[in-house]
Amino acid sequence: MFFLIAIVANFGVKDEVLFKRLFDSKPYNAKLPIALPDSMDSVIKQSSDLPNDMKALYPLGYGVTR
């Protein structure tokens, strides 16, 4: 048996549009607009005046392209 689990974030899109896109056969393209740090220690050690200077679990621009 195979199970697929996904988390979908919805930021104000109408349900009809969201479900149409989720069940469509078109390829997905998605990129993170922010970097997600790997730990709180990484957040504390980063410099506020330097871009991309923390250890990121998922860096800026990480995503899916098909």
Side-chain angles (χ1 to χ4, degrees):
M1 205 173 248
F2 178 74
F3 293 100
L4 179 64
I5 298 173
I7 297 173
V8 177
N10 180 1
F11 297 97
V13 176
K14 290 186 178 182
D15 289 342
E16 298 84 28
V17 175
L18 177 66
F19 288 116
K20 182 179 179 184
R21 182 62 190 114
L22 284 175
F23 296 108
D24 198 355
S25 62
K26 293 179 185 174
Y28 287 95
N29 294 316
K31 301 290 181 182
L32 281 177
I34 59 171
L36 297 177
D38 67 346
S39 67
M40 190 62 194
D41 189 46
S42 179
V43 173
I44 292 169
K45 289 181 180 178
Q46 75 176 349
S47 297
S48 62
D49 58 342
L50 294 175
N52 301 323
D53 71 330
M54 73 174 159
K55 286 181 58 182
L57 183 61
Y58 297 105
L60 174 70
Y62 182 85
V64 177
T65 303
R66 266 184 47 184

